Amino acid sequence: AWIEQDVFPILQSLNLEICHGKDMYGEVLQDAVKYRIAHANALIAFCTLRQGQGKAAFNSHIWVRDELQHAMTLNKPAVEVREKGVRNPPGLVGDRQRIELDPDNRLKCIAELIKVVSAWRMRRLLLVPTDQKQSRRIHQTIATDQLLVRYRTRVGAIDSRHREGRIERLD
C-alpha cells in the first residue's frame, strides 16, 4: 500500500505514467501483463516479503519475478527494488544490481529509485540550425518562452501520450 501512496505520486510528478495490473478485469492475466510490459518503456519490480513466507527459500512474489524476467527478455530497462530479508535465488534474472528497500528507511530507497528512473527518461535530441539566421530565430524563441517542446515515444506501433520537454542550450 505504501508504494501506491508514496512512490506513485513521486514518479507521476516526474511526468511518468504508472501502469500496473489492478485494472485487468475480465482479461487473461498472463497475456494482459505481457502486453503491458511490452508497451511500457521500463519496469520497476518491487520484490517485497510475502506475508507468512519469511523463512521460505523464496519469500517474495513469483509474479514480480516473472514480470522482471519478461521485461529483461524484451530488453526493457528494468530495476529490482528488493526489501531487506527477501530471498530470491538468481535464476534467469541473474544477480543484478538492485535497490535495497529497508522498511525503516524508505526515503533512501525512493531517492535511489528517482536517480535510476531519471536516467532512463532523459531523451536528448540535438537541434542543428541550417544557417545563422535560423539559429538566431531559434535562440530568440527560446529566450522569449515562445517555443514549447512536446514529444512522444513509439514502441512497436504504439505511440505514448505527448509529454513536455525542455530545451538546454549546448555550445
Side-chain angles (χ1 to χ4, degrees):
W2 75 270
I3 295 167
E4 284 185 55
Q5 178 183 325
D6 298 336
V7 179
F8 283 15
I10 292 169
L11 295 176
Q12 289 166 329
S13 74
L14 296 171
N15 288 324
L16 297 175
E17 191 175 325
I18 306 294
C19 179
H20 52 71
K22 291 192 171 198
D23 58 350
M24 295 191 207
Y25 305 105
E27 295 184 57
V28 176
L29 293 179
Q30 292 84 347
D31 294 338
V33 168
K34 286 179 185 177
Y35 179 85
R36 288 184 182 197
I37 292 170
H39 291 88
N41 292 339
L43 181 119
I44 302 168
F46 283 91
C47 293
T48 56
L49 288 168
R50 286 185 60 203
Q51 196 169 12
Q53 298 291 314
K55 297 188 189 290
F58 175 73
N59 58 2
S60 192
H61 305 267
I62 194 69
W63 269 92
V64 176
R65 182 183 169 117
D66 288 352
E67 290 163 2
L68 180 60
Q69 177 58 49
H70 188 65
M72 290 169 41
T73 299
L74 297 173
N75 294 315
K76 301 281 182 175
V79 66
E80 177 187 358
V81 177
R82 186 180 292 187
E83 185 175 4
K84 201 175 195 178
V86 164
R87 285 188 292 283
N88 189 352
L92 287 176
V93 172
D95 192 17
R96 306 167 59 87
Q97 184 175 2
R98 59 186 163 267
I99 298 171
E100 183 179 316
L101 165 60
D102 181 349
D104 296 326
N105 189 0
R106 291 180 181 157
L107 186 57
K108 181 180 178 187
C109 169
I110 293 170
E112 190 67 24
L113 182 59
I114 290 169
K115 281 196 275 186
V116 170
V117 299
S118 292
W120 285 348
R121 62 187 291 268
M122 181 56 73
R123 305 265 196 278
R124 291 184 182 246
L125 302 175
L126 183 60
L127 183 61
V128 181
T130 56
D131 58 46
Q132 201 59 22
K133 182 178 175 184
Q134 190 180 50
S135 179
R136 280 192 298 276
R137 286 184 24 226
I138 290 169
H139 289 297
Q140 183 179 21
T141 59
I142 292 169
T144 58
D145 288 329
Q146 295 176 341
L147 185 61
L148 172 68
V149 177
R150 292 178 66 205
Y151 70 94
R152 61 184 178 184
T153 57
R154 176 173 287 167
V155 177
I158 308 292
D159 290 333
S160 72
R161 63 178 176 79
H162 280 96
R163 295 181 175 100
E164 286 190 21
R166 68 176 189 269
I167 294 180
E168 297 175 3
R169 185 174 177 173
L170 301 174
D171 290 328

